[in-house]
């Protein structure tokens, strides 16, 4: 195991354990205590780890890095205002997401006055998630190359979140075909019992998927026409606005570098 890999194993363990001492980390990672201590000392020297009450914790420097990455991501800049407008207009939860290394990455969320599931969604934003059990995730999967989707499924599996979650690869690929045909994805209590969501892919001019935007509502407020036509049109329109914003940003970048 290389030095950099070892450091990242320790960083991820500190995240999982929410802070730990040298002995606890060494036992958790099955590494010699001397190795763990040496890497912790280096991370502390570089200000990415702090020590409090005898335990090591990740430092706030990771927060600064994360904010930098997010604030300089084209999709966040192109989509933030539209997500917030949509939340104000619908009074519900609206999410802007993308995919990286086979994981679902949450870029931005806005909460309308009637939005439900606050604690759940805020907790979700803390770390990457699965793609197969959400409307925004399936909207992304539908437009990724099939070989890459196969790779993601083989790597992450299809964990069951509720009794309605898709756990069959065949069923998933059938649904992805339907999503491509209709231009939007639906989540019918597949991630959280009692909630439904509709997501639309955000595509570039070459039809490459860049991310997705979605609206989440309680099942009782998203029935029939609302679930199958009204909200899908709203979400697809929002995705289109974001696509235009992305192209504008990219054109500005091209002009700036001429």
């Amino acid at each position: 195991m290389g030095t950099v890999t070892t450091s990242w194993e320790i960083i991820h363990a500190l995240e999982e354990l929410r802070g730990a001492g040298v002995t606890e980390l060494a036992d958790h990672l099955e590494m010699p205590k001397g190795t763990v201590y040496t890497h912790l000392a280096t991370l502390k020297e570089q200000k990415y780890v702090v020590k409090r009450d005898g335990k090591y914790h990740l430092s706030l420097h990771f927060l600064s890095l994360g904010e930098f990455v997010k604030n300089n991501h084209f999709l966040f800049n192109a989509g933030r205002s539209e997500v917030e407008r949509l939340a104000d207009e619908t009074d519900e939860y609206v999410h802007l997401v993308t995919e990286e290394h086979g994981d679902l990455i949450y870029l931005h969320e806005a909460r309308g006055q009637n939005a439900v599931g606050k604690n759940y969604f805020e907790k979700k934003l803390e770390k990457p998630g699965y793609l197969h059990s959400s409307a925004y995730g399936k909207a992304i999967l539908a437009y990724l190359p099939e070989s890459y989707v196969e790779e993601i499924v083989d790597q992450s599996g299809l964990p069951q979140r509720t009794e309605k979650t898709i756990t069959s690869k065949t069923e998933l690929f059938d649904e992805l075909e339907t999503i491509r045909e209709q231009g939007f994805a639906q989540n019918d209590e597949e991630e959280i019992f009692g909630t439904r969501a509709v997501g639309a892919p955000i595509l570039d001019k070459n039809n490459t998927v860049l991310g997705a935007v979605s609206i989440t509502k309680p099942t009782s407020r998203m029935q029939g026409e609302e679930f199958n036509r009204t909200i899908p049109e709203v979400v697809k329109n929002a995705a289109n606005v974001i696509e235009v914003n992305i192209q504008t940003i990219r054109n500005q970048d091209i002009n700036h570098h001429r």
Side-chain angles (χ1 to χ4, degrees), residues 83 86 93-97 135-136 197-200 212-216 235:
V83 165
L86 201 55
Y93 249 120
V94 182
H95 291 91
L96 178 69
V97 305
Y136 37 60
V198 177
V213 60
S214 74
I215 294 176
T216 301
V235 173

Side-chain angles (χ1 to χ4, degrees), residues 93 109 111 115-124:
Y93 249 120
E109 58 96 14
R111 185 173 186 265
V116 296
K118 180 176 186 289
N119 292 335
Y120 176 81
F121 284 118
E122 288 187 349
K123 187 174 182 181
K124 278 176 58 177

Side-chain angles (χ1 to χ4, degrees), residues 9 11 20 30 34 38 44 49 69 81 93 122 185 207-208 213-214 220:
E9 291 284 343
I11 287 167
E30 298 181 346
T38 299
K44 187 170 179 288
V49 163
V69 173
S81 61
Y93 249 120
E122 288 187 349
N207 224 36
T208 300
V213 60
S214 74
S220 60

Side-chain angles (χ1 to χ4, degrees), residues 101-171:
H101 300 302
D103 292 325
L104 184 68
I105 305 295
Y106 302 91
L107 283 174
H108 191 54
E109 58 96 14
R111 185 173 186 265
Q113 290 185 351
N114 295 327
V116 296
K118 180 176 186 289
N119 292 335
Y120 176 81
F121 284 118
E122 288 187 349
K123 187 174 182 181
K124 278 176 58 177
L125 293 171
E126 293 176 2
K127 57 178 58 182
Y130 295 102
L131 290 156
H132 73 289
S133 57
S134 61
Y136 37 60
K138 290 188 291 184
I140 291 174
L141 285 174
Y143 289 86
L144 290 174
E146 186 171 317
S147 60
Y148 186 40
V149 177
E150 291 267 10
E151 184 182 323
I152 291 171
V153 172
D154 290 343
Q155 169 188 298
S156 303
L158 298 171
Q160 186 167 10
R161 306 296 295 274
T162 75
E163 62 182 17
K164 292 189 174 183
T165 306
I166 293 174
T167 56
S168 156
K169 187 185 289 188
T170 300
E171 186 181 349

Side-chain angles (χ1 to χ4, degrees), residues 14 24 36 52 73 105 126 134 145 165 185-186 202 229 232 256:
L14 286 173
E24 185 181 1
V36 172
R52 294 194 305 268
H73 197 285
I105 305 295
E126 293 176 2
S134 61
T165 306
Q186 293 170 301
I202 298 166
R229 294 192 64 179
H256 178 72

